[in-house]
Amino acid sequence: MRVWPKERTAFLVIHGIGEQNPFETLDAFVRGFLKVMMENNPGRKIAVKHYTKPRTENGKLEWVENFISLVKEDQPECPIDFYEYYWAYRMEGEITFQELVDWLVKTSDGARTFYNENKEIVKKYELKSGEYWYLKHLGWFLRLIAFLKISKIPYFDFWYPFIKPFVFKGKQLFIDYMGDVAIYATTDVKSKHFNIRKSILDESVKEVKSLIDDPRYEKIIIVGHSLGSVIAFDTLNRITHAANIDQEKWRSVGKIEGLITFGSPLDKIAFFFREHTPKGQYIRRQILAHFHCFKNRDLNLQKDEIEVDNPIAPLLDDVKWINFWDKKDPVSGHLDFYIVDENIELHMKDEKSGKDVKFGLAHTKYWELPEMYTKSCEYFLR
């Protein structure tokens, strides 16, 4: 079956947590996509071309953006272009180990309280990514870490010089991965990290806007791995707000046709980190629900005293959304709190041994899976 778009299409790929370098995400996604496209178009030469595109604002050059094009010899007028949104550099050195532990303790306590008061949510949405039993224990585990203050380990003075390199590496790994989540998930405007989150989201919206305004593109697909899927979701949510306010400026927003997420923690973000309101604050609760307007299911199962009208029209509800996940990836999950067209469980296997990928290692393996690219082609490139 030959699959190729009938119009020029742009993919914007947003990377996830951890140490990331420019163009690594672009490289991995294009290589995976190219392999599947070559298999689906036998006998047709597909050229891989590198282009640059100046991005300007108010008449001034902001930067020169790099993107990759796949061009099929018999359809040169319909290339597939791949862009990368790189945001990792904004997180470097912005949170300490102790700040991260304190934040996680506070967050887990809040989530546990919310869970205990709203157990009907689990029943209503039939959460397929697992029971949230760890809420009962996470806070105590984190308190133990905070108590030990790993940087000193006062009761192991003799052994500490020998294990210090391993402790340091473990702490740094913890900060590199969970620190990104802690900073980005901060929605409190009083937090010192709020402006980092805002700048990441502002630039993501600009990236999408530049593609929407590019007359060459008729179709745009947003792709997000790991925390990048949360940034992608928030970007589409923000664009929905903007398009409601200024429809003329965003008149071409319908070019956005698809969202692909993989290794996504969106359900966990909604459950752990979204701002929850006391039962009595029914107006504030509905304002927050209206704010999360892009394909979002209502986490408020209470019958409020007064229903507040929603002023935000769901302008991007026609966007198709597919989500890839694997039980051996503790970050990802079946997305239950969102209106997803299809949740696809992958059951990852190691290519060499044929055995199941070990628990925890699956999170970085999505890029290598032909099934993910094949399914994405079937959804968005027919």
Side-chain angles (χ1 to χ4, degrees):
M1 181 186 298
R2 293 180 182 175
V3 180
W4 199 271
K6 298 180 177 64
E7 60 277 300
R8 188 163 190 168
T9 302
F11 283 81
L12 175 63
V13 188
I14 306 175
H15 69 76
I17 56 179
E19 291 188 4
Q20 304 282 347
N21 294 310
F23 312 130
E24 282 184 341
T25 302
L26 189 62
D27 169 79
F29 194 76
V30 171
R31 281 190 290 110
F33 214 94
L34 175 62
K35 182 178 179 181
V36 168
M37 294 305 280
M38 291 177 70
E39 291 173 355
N40 277 277
N41 293 273
R44 296 289 185 272
K45 182 180 178 182
I46 299 176
V48 181
K49 297 188 176 182
H50 171 210
Y51 293 100
T52 58
K53 174 184 174 183
R55 206 180 87 176
T56 60
E57 186 169 337
N58 299 323
K60 295 182 179 179
L61 178 68
E62 285 198 321
W63 67 67
V64 175
E65 195 160 21
N66 293 271
F67 69 97
I68 296 294
S69 261
L70 300 186
V71 184
K72 193 166 69 154
E73 62 178 353
D74 58 341
Q75 280 183 260
E77 73 283 359
C78 299
I80 309 172
D81 295 342
F82 297 88
Y83 293 79
E84 172 189 74
Y85 174 45
Y86 176 72
W87 53 267
Y89 69 96
R90 295 182 182 275
M91 300 292 197
E92 292 295 321
E94 293 292 343
I95 191 168
T96 66
F97 179 79
Q98 195 59 49
E99 285 175 334
L100 178 54
V101 170
D102 292 342
W103 176 82
L104 285 169
V105 168
K106 180 180 178 181
T107 299
S108 65
D109 285 351
R112 186 173 66 250
T113 300
F114 177 75
Y115 173 78
N116 289 332
E117 294 177 353
N118 298 275
K119 290 182 179 178
E120 66 274 17
I121 284 179
V122 176
K123 296 178 182 178
K124 179 176 175 63
Y125 294 122
E126 299 178 356
L127 303 180
K128 296 179 178 62
S129 51
E131 296 280 343
Y132 285 74
W133 55 268
Y134 44 78
L135 285 172
K136 299 176 182 177
H137 310 291
L138 183 61
W140 297 112
F141 172 71
L142 292 168
R143 281 185 174 81
L144 176 62
I145 294 177
F147 175 75
L148 290 175
K149 295 186 184 297
I150 285 176
S151 59
K152 296 180 180 179
I153 314 185
Y155 306 110
F156 299 96
D157 291 339
F158 176 77
W159 292 106
Y160 187 64
F162 301 98
I163 65 173
K164 183 177 179 180
F166 302 101
V167 171
F168 176 80
K169 187 175 181 179
K171 284 174 56 180
Q172 195 58 49
L173 197 64
F174 187 55
I175 292 171
D176 286 343
Y177 282 85
M178 283 307 300
D180 289 355
V181 177
I183 294 171
Y184 185 78
T186 299
T187 57
D188 183 357
V189 295
K190 301 185 293 295
S191 169
K192 70 175 186 179
H193 297 136
F194 180 79
N195 283 335
I196 299 173
R197 180 186 190 276
K198 182 177 181 300
S199 64
I200 290 172
L201 191 49
D202 286 347
E203 285 304 314
S204 182
V205 171
K206 282 184 181 181
E207 283 276 0
V208 177
K209 185 68 166 67
S210 69
L211 295 176
I212 290 174
D213 291 343
D214 192 323
R216 296 175 298 174
Y217 298 121
E218 298 177 56
K219 182 188 294 186
I220 298 165
I221 314 297
I222 314 296
V223 182
H225 172 237
S226 186
L227 186 59
S229 69
V230 184
I231 297 172
F233 173 85
D234 288 342
T235 298
L236 293 173
N237 198 63
R238 179 77 69 85
I239 287 173
T240 302
H241 296 168
N244 269 268
I245 294 169
D246 191 341
Q247 293 187 14
E248 177 59 27
K249 183 178 178 180
W250 292 88
R251 62 184 180 276
S252 299
V253 73
K255 288 183 177 182
I256 304 173
E257 292 193 13
L259 172 62
I260 302 168
T261 55
F262 50 104
S264 175
L266 269 163
D267 259 28
K268 296 175 178 66
I269 293 288
F271 201 93
F272 279 88
F273 308 133
R274 182 176 295 177
E275 189 170 2
H276 302 300
T277 58
K279 289 187 176 181
Q281 296 182 358
Y282 61 88
I283 292 178
R284 181 169 180 261
R285 180 163 54 249
Q286 291 181 71
I287 290 173
L288 291 173
H290 298 163
F291 178 81
H292 298 285
C293 53
F294 174 68
K295 288 184 172 286
N296 191 67
R297 297 190 191 278
D298 191 3
L299 293 190
N300 173 31
L301 301 184
Q302 307 171 43
K303 185 170 178 58
D304 292 315
E305 297 177 33
I306 297 175
E307 187 173 337
V308 179
D309 290 338
N310 187 351
I312 303 172
L315 300 177
L316 292 177
D317 267 17
D318 289 337
V319 171
K320 288 184 178 180
W321 182 354
I322 54 174
N323 175 61
F324 298 92
W325 69 291
D326 192 294
K327 286 183 179 177
K328 297 177 290 298
D329 173 12
V331 176
S332 75
H334 187 288
L335 298 184
D336 302 294
F337 293 150
Y338 303 89
I339 302 170
V340 179
D341 290 87
E342 188 173 0
N343 278 284
I344 303 167
E345 189 176 0
L346 292 172
H347 306 289
M348 294 188 199
K349 301 280 186 181
D350 184 86
E351 286 188 6
K352 293 181 179 178
S353 67
K355 297 180 180 179
D356 288 346
V357 173
K358 292 182 180 179
F359 182 82
L361 299 180
H363 189 63
T364 59
K365 295 291 185 181
Y366 294 92
W367 307 97
E368 304 167 13
L369 299 177
E371 181 184 349
M372 185 177 80
Y373 300 100
T374 299
K375 196 71 175 179
S376 298
C377 290
E378 291 173 357
Y379 257 85
F380 302 116
L381 298 183
R382 286 185 178 277

